[in-house]
Structure formats: structure tokens, C-alpha cells
């Protein structure tokens, strides 16, 4: 079980200015900012963030020991590229501030702070026990507070049993301490993805409607074409054309319409690539496999929509058709 001031996906614990030892900003700015989280020793194991180099925090990281910090991979690659970050130092605040140096004792994997489809950002973690000492002369009575925090637990028990157990533990510590928003991480991720899920449902509904209209359109145009070419079909059959040839003729007409639609659709997808990219997660809007499968699906739809008019055209009685004319 661990404690933190901000969960992944929900935005983390905030951000802070800092100075990285040996780093010179190529843009000339003296201000560097990264996401900051305040955690207890067992937080990383509880949340499941793997260790890459060094060590996690432990109970000995308190006000009487060396000031330490843990950075994520993105932070290490940006400020000490192609170097082992263990032993490097940072300090809070801007250049010129007399804050103490914090030594990097661990590098952990990136954790998405805002949503699964956003890029990882630079992030560092501080042990809660050292927060006031980390800020040195910048510390104030409000540096360490208990306004809110997140308790992170990992267990094989069902979430319902864990919630009851957690509430009992909190009540035993302080009966007046409120415990709210008890959720699994799956629920936290699901809530963060709600807007994207809603957009996906809306787009899927429009896509289904477009497919339905396309099928109806191909069927209607093909049926109209067959009805206006009854005499032609009758003459073809009277001159020896097989009924299978009539079916192929009608299906070819429907496929031509679908081919034109595929070309226009691919062109439209290319024109709207920037908009489409914002709705996709780790998927390219120009994925060749997706484009090929989409084209095949449209052509298959055209064949299905043209089958009934084609069979109707092949069932024409040439004698009756020509006599009617």
C-alpha cells in the first residue's frame, strides 16, 4: 500500500520548477519544469511502475538521511541523454535559489499522467518524509499538508472486499478522516477515456449510417439501371447470352460505383488526416492494412447490394420482355 498526491491518468500531483545538474537548455531558457509527485516508499510497487535503474524509496529516506529523488525514463533521457541518471542531482526552484540538491537514486518507467493516448512527460518523485527539507529556505508552513491524498493498494482480493478493509483501517486511525472516491485503476482509466469513447460511438454511428446509405444507394441505382435496360437484357439473352453473363454484367456496374467511391473515400481520408489522427490511439490514419480491408469491405458491400438486382435481371423472360416492347 502506498500514498501519493496524484494518480496516473488523473493528472499526477502537479508540476515544479527545478535545476538539473549539468544540463544546459539549448533554447536558452533558465526555467525547466517537470511533473512532480509526492509519494511514500511502497507507492511504486502498489501502482505497478517498474524500476529501470537504481532503487525505490525506502523507510530510511527521511529528514535525517540524504535527500533523494526518483525520475522517470523521459526525464532521464531529456536531461542526461545516454547516461545513467543514478547519482545525478536536481534541486527545486529556479537558478539562483539556494535550495538543497536532491540525488537521483532510481529511474522508473514512464506513467501516462493524463490519458493513455498522450505522450509521456518528464516526471520526478519525492518521498513525502523529505518534502519540507527538499525546499530548504523556500519551505513554508503549507509545504506539507493533509488536504487530500490517494491511497494505492494492490491485492488479490475483490475490489469490494478491499474497500471494506480499507475503510476499516482508516476508521481505526481516525474516525473523522473521510475516505471518498474509492475506485479501481480500471475505473480511473475508464473515466479518463469517457470523452474518447463517446466520440468513438458518435463516429461509429455516423459510419454505420454512411455504410447503410451507400448500400441503399448502390441497390437503388443498380435496380433502376436494370429496370431501364430490360429490353437490352432480353435482346442479349435472345442472341445467346447466358444468364450468368447477365449477372456478371450487373455486378460489374455495381463494382464500378464502389470503385469510384473507394477512390473518393481514400482521397477524403487523406484530406482529413490531421482530424482523424486526433481520434486514433497508436494507429496511423494511413495504415495500409486498414485501407486495404476498408476497400475490400466496400467492394463486398457493393456486390451484396447488386446481387438482388442482378438475379432479377437474369430471371427476365426475353420473349415476354420483347413482346411487351
Amino acid at each position: 500500500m502506498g500514498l501519493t498526491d496524484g494518480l496516473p491518468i488523473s493528472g499526477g500531483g502537479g508540476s515544479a520548477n527545478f535545476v538539473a545538474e549539468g544540463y544546459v537548455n539549448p533554447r536558452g531558457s533558465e526555467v525547466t519544469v517537470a511533473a512532480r509527485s509526492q509519494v511514500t516508499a511502497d507507492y511504486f510497487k502498489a501502482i505497478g511502475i517498474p524500476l529501470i535503474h537504481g532503487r525505490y524509496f525506502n523507510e530510511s529516506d527521511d529528514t535525517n538521511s540524504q535527500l533523494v529523488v526518483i525520475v522517470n525514463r523521459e526525464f532521464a533521457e531529456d536531461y542526461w541523454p545516454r547516461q545513467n541518471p543514478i547519482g545525478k542531482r536536481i534541486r527545486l526552484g529556479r537558478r539562483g535559489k539556494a535550495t538543497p540538491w536532491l540525488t537521483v537514486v532510481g529511474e522508473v518507467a514512464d506513467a501516462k499522467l493524463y490519458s493513455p493516448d498522450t505522450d509521456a512527460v518528464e516526471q520526478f518523485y519525492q518521498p513525502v518524509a523529505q518534502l519540507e527539507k527538499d525546499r530548504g529556505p523556500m519551505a513554508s508552513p503549507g509545504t506539507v499538508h493533509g488536504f487530500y491524498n490517494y491511497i494505492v493498494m494492490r491485492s488479490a482480493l475483490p475490489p469490494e472486499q478491499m474497500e471494506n478493509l480499507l475503510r476499516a483501517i482508516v476508521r481505526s486511525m481516525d474516525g473523522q478522516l473521510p475516505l471518498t472516491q474509492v475506485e479501481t485503476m480500471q475505473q480511473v482509466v475508464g473515466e479518463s477515456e469517457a470523452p474518447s469513447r463517446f466520440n468513438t460511438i458518435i463516429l461509429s454511428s455516423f459510419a454505420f449510417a454512411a455504410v447503410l446509405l451507400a448500400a441503399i444507394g448502390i441497390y437503388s441505382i443498380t435496380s433502376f439501371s436494370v429496370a431501364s435496360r430490360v429490353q437490352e437484357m432480353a435482346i442479349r439473352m435472345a442472341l445467346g447470352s447466358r444468364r450468368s453473363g447477365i449477372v456478371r454484367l450487373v455486378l460489374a456496374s455495381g463494382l464500378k460505383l464502389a470503385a469510384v467511391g473507394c477512390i473518393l473515400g481514400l482521397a477524403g481520408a487523406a484530406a482529413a488526416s490531421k482530424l482523424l489522427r486526433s481520434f486514433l490511439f497508436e494507429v496511423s490514419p494511413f495504415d495500409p492494412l486498414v485501407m486495404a480491408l476498408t476497400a475490400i469491405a466496400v467492394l463486398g458491400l457493393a456486390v451484396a447490394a447488386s446481387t438482388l438486382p442482378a438475379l432479377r435481371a437474369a430471371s427476365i423472360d426475353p420473349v415476354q420482355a420483347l413482346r411487351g416492347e
Side-chain angles (χ1 to χ4, degrees):
M1 182 172 67
L3 196 69
T4 179
D5 64 339
L7 289 173
I9 304 301
S10 64
S15 60
N17 297 323
F18 68 95
V19 176
E21 183 180 36
Y23 174 76
V24 178
N25 194 329
R27 294 186 294 272
S29 174
E30 294 187 358
V31 178
T32 48
V33 181
R36 178 182 64 178
S37 293
Q38 303 163 1
V39 302
T40 56
D42 294 329
Y43 165 76
F44 297 101
K45 293 180 181 178
I47 201 69
I49 299 177
L51 182 68
I52 300 176
H53 294 110
R55 67 172 177 85
Y56 291 130
F57 296 138
N58 54 49
E59 297 300 332
S60 65
D61 294 320
D62 54 23
T63 56
N64 299 319
S65 64
Q66 178 189 36
L67 299 181
V68 295
V69 67
I70 290 177
V71 300
N72 70 341
R73 172 176 289 179
E74 187 73 16
F75 189 105
E77 290 180 349
D78 285 353
Y79 296 101
W80 304 295
R82 298 180 297 278
Q83 301 178 52
N84 188 336
I86 305 304
K88 301 292 186 181
R89 300 189 302 174
I90 69 171
R91 56 185 178 84
L92 301 179
R94 302 188 180 188
R95 295 187 184 276
K97 295 291 184 180
T99 52
W101 287 102
L102 316 179
T103 302
V104 177
V105 295
E107 177 187 358
V108 296
D110 297 329
K112 299 296 183 70
L113 292 185
Y114 304 105
S115 69
D117 55 347
T118 58
D119 296 331
V121 299
E122 300 93 343
Q123 184 178 15
F124 63 91
Y125 302 85
Q126 298 172 260
V128 172
Q130 296 183 347
L131 290 181
E132 187 171 4
K133 193 174 179 181
D134 285 347
R135 297 183 66 86
M138 296 173 57
S140 64
T143 297
V144 180
H145 61 76
F147 295 159
Y148 69 90
N149 279 293
Y150 296 92
I151 299 174
V152 181
M153 301 182 67
R154 177 179 291 270
S155 173
L157 294 177
E160 298 78 13
Q161 297 183 23
M162 286 303 303
E163 179 179 351
N164 295 332
L165 177 60
L166 181 59
R167 290 187 182 279
I169 293 174
V170 172
R171 279 197 301 269
S172 67
M173 297 171 57
D174 186 346
Q176 301 298 318
L177 189 64
L179 183 64
T180 62
Q181 201 175 344
V182 180
E183 298 176 309
T184 65
M185 278 306 297
Q186 287 82 358
Q187 292 173 318
V188 173
V189 173
E191 290 172 1
S192 72
E193 290 296 284
S196 297
R197 188 160 52 248
F198 176 77
N199 292 337
T200 300
I201 293 173
I202 294 297
L203 289 176
S204 299
S205 300
F206 280 113
F208 178 78
V211 169
L212 183 61
L213 289 175
I216 294 174
I218 292 175
Y219 171 80
S220 301
I221 292 175
T222 306
S223 296
F224 177 79
S225 176
V226 169
S228 62
R229 297 170 64 186
V230 170
Q231 185 178 13
E232 175 191 343
M233 303 297 180
I235 293 174
R236 286 177 179 273
M237 286 188 286
L239 294 177
S241 177
R242 296 183 178 181
R243 296 186 184 275
S244 59
I246 298 298
V247 172
R248 287 195 297 270
L249 178 65
V250 176
L251 291 179
S253 298
L255 285 174
K256 289 179 182 178
L257 291 175
V260 173
C262 285
I263 294 173
L264 294 177
L266 292 174
S273 61
K274 292 184 178 181
L275 176 61
L276 293 175
R277 192 179 300 275
S278 65
F279 288 100
L280 301 176
F281 175 53
E282 295 185 357
V283 177
S284 170
F286 296 105
D287 190 315
L289 179 60
V290 173
M291 293 298 182
L293 292 177
T294 302
I296 292 173
V298 172
L299 294 176
L301 178 66
V303 171
S306 302
T307 297
L308 185 58
L311 295 176
R312 189 182 299 124
S315 63
I316 293 174
D317 185 347
V319 176
Q320 293 293 333
L322 293 175
R323 182 179 296 170
E325 293 293 333

